Amino acid sequence: MSLSIPHPDAPRLVADAALADQDLHAWACLDPTAAAARHGPLAGLVFGVKDVLDVAGLPTRCGSPATDDRPATADADCVAILRAAGALPLGKTVTAEFAHVAPGPTRNPHHPSHTPGGSSSGSAAAVAAGMVDFALSTQTGGSIIRPAAFCGVVGVKPSYGAVSRGGMRVMCPSLDTIGWHAYDLDVAARVADVMLPRHACDAIGQPRLCLLPMQPGYQLDRSSIDALASAGNALAAAGYAVAGIQAMPHALDLLDIHRTVVHYELAHALTVLVPDADAVQDGRLSPRLREAARQGLAIGREDYEATLARLHAARQRAWELDFGDADLILTTGALGPAPEGLSHTGESGFNKAWSVLGWPCLHLPTTHDDRGMPLGVMLVARRGADHALLRWARDIHRLVDRRAALPSRSPSNGAIHDPTVSRA
């Protein structure tokens, strides 16, 4: 394996990113001494790392003043794999506080008064703004897919457990999944080739799709309905088998499972991650996080274990019982375009069920609304079919993408994207 060495372009790349980030606020910290292997399958690619994952020499603050500035002594497993493959970690991207709901300072590159989503806000925004080729992110509910949808980039949420969480500040052990945002599908797939295991179900043929237009309790924006219908019609016209269903089976039960597991596990994780009791009283933890912790600590151990048993039973339920012979589910990862305002990260309800099930999800940007805000669709596959999902997505995206042609771009050559211009 090639040794990791300081990258000669790192200081310039960091300076360019810092300049472009003055109004965007996607970065928690940057590393002008960043190093990577000389050679490898990802050589030449630059990436960001969500600030719940360790990068050697940089602090892991989790978007909270309740943590400290001590630098990590080693990379998280996922960062080490990418660095060894030749990719350059440029720094730490902003996360919502402890990867929950209280947003960080990041703005949406397409419109600064709109949320970039969360909790992986900095990762999606840094990719959308052209500062990096891809960025590591995490998802508990919708923290990869929703920012991808709001910022108009590719979002990869792998199967639960597919990526090692070594060196991650895990908030919800039963749900937390490491994934990434990427400039395009080619970059997303190259990262997957390095990061994800292969499975027997990666066989390729034209997939059968199940179109899912809604879930109980949530109303899609008209623009999202149109974007999903347009994608379904384009695929059907191209000869894909596309069958529709009205709603996801057991959706309300999955949302209930998610709510209980998240609150219980987050509350108990915080007692380890923030052992300083004064942090709760002196304002270093936000009111939202304190309330979430209060709700979690009120859940009894027996209720939590019963809910966890329901989660495991849901993951064992055969795909075919609910989705028949479909290979992919075609749906949406957001209820609409990024809403205006920076005090919230948007509704993640259309993602939580997939996080409970542990199935791989992929957001594909496809169009914009009449204000220029990104819209897209999401593909969901069986657990373990991550590589098949990405390969199927190449042809699917070509057919459903209604944006302009992608311009040439290379962060390693110092190009920083103007977010007012469509990237695709």
Side-chain angles (χ1 to χ4, degrees), residues 81-153:
I81 289 170
L82 294 167
R83 197 194 293 267
L88 182 71
L90 204 59
K92 308 294 285 295
T93 55
V94 168
T95 175
E97 182 186 29
F98 286 102
H100 195 50
V101 296
T106 308
R107 296 171 177 267
N108 193 305
H110 294 269
H111 202 302
S113 67
H114 290 241
T115 177
S119 60
S120 304
S121 52
S123 291
V127 172
M131 299 182 201
V132 289
D133 297 287
F134 69 97
L136 289 172
S137 312
T138 68
Q139 178 159 313
T140 305
S143 296
I144 294 173
I145 297 299
R146 188 170 76 264
F150 287 174
C151 293
V153 298

Side-chain angles (χ1 to χ4, degrees), residues 135-228:
L136 289 172
S137 312
T138 68
Q139 178 159 313
T140 305
S143 296
I144 294 173
I145 297 299
R146 188 170 76 264
F150 287 174
C151 293
V153 298
V154 173
V156 180
K157 199 286 290 184
S159 297
Y160 174 78
V163 179
S164 168
R165 295 187 304 205
M168 174 185 172
R169 303 299 185 271
V170 176
M171 316 299 171
C172 298
S174 299
L175 298 167
D176 285 356
T177 301
I178 296 172
W180 52 94
H181 292 101
Y183 164 65
D184 60 21
L185 269 175
D186 178 66
V187 170
R190 289 175 64 186
V191 174
D193 286 341
V194 170
M195 295 282 282
L196 298 177
R198 297 281 178 177
H199 291 275
C201 58
D202 285 344
I204 286 294
Q206 190 178 79
R208 296 174 293 273
L209 291 100
C210 177
L211 191 148
L212 174 62
M214 62 170 290
Q215 286 187 8
Y218 295 99
Q219 178 61 50
L220 286 184
D221 182 89
R222 183 75 247 175
S223 59
S224 279
I225 294 173
D226 292 344
L228 186 57

Side-chain angles (χ1 to χ4, degrees), residues 252-275:
L252 292 179
D253 186 51
L254 294 171
L255 292 176
D256 182 67
I257 290 170
H258 185 274
R259 181 168 48 252
T260 298
V261 170
V262 163
H263 281 99
Y264 184 93
E265 294 188 349
L266 176 67
H268 288 80
L270 286 172
T271 63
V272 176
L273 295 171
V274 189

Side-chain angles (χ1 to χ4, degrees), residues 329-417:
I329 300 161
L330 174 65
T331 185
T332 180
L335 303 182
E340 191 167 7
L342 301 174
S343 64
H344 55 91
T345 61
E347 175 55 60
S348 63
F350 232 60
N351 296 277
K352 292 175 181 176
W354 314 118
S355 293
V356 169
L357 293 168
W359 295 350
C361 302
L362 177 65
H363 174 78
L364 300 175
T366 61
T367 187
H368 299 85
D369 70 3
D370 55 10
R371 299 169 299 173
M373 298 304 292
L375 294 163
V377 297
M378 178 170 64
L379 297 173
V380 183
R382 290 174 173 85
R383 185 170 176 179
D386 302 70
H387 288 286
L389 171 60
L390 283 159
R391 290 202 297 273
W392 277 323
R394 289 180 182 273
D395 188 54
I396 289 172
H397 200 207
R398 178 181 61 81
L399 294 167
V400 304
D401 195 354
R402 294 292 182 265
R403 303 168 304 165
L406 281 166
S408 60
R409 170 198 173 276
S410 174
S412 59
N413 290 328
I416 299 296
H417 170 61

Side-chain angles (χ1 to χ4, degrees), residues 6 53 170 274 288 317 403 418:
L53 298 162
V170 176
V274 189
R288 290 184 186 182
R317 183 178 174 87
R403 303 168 304 165
D418 178 355

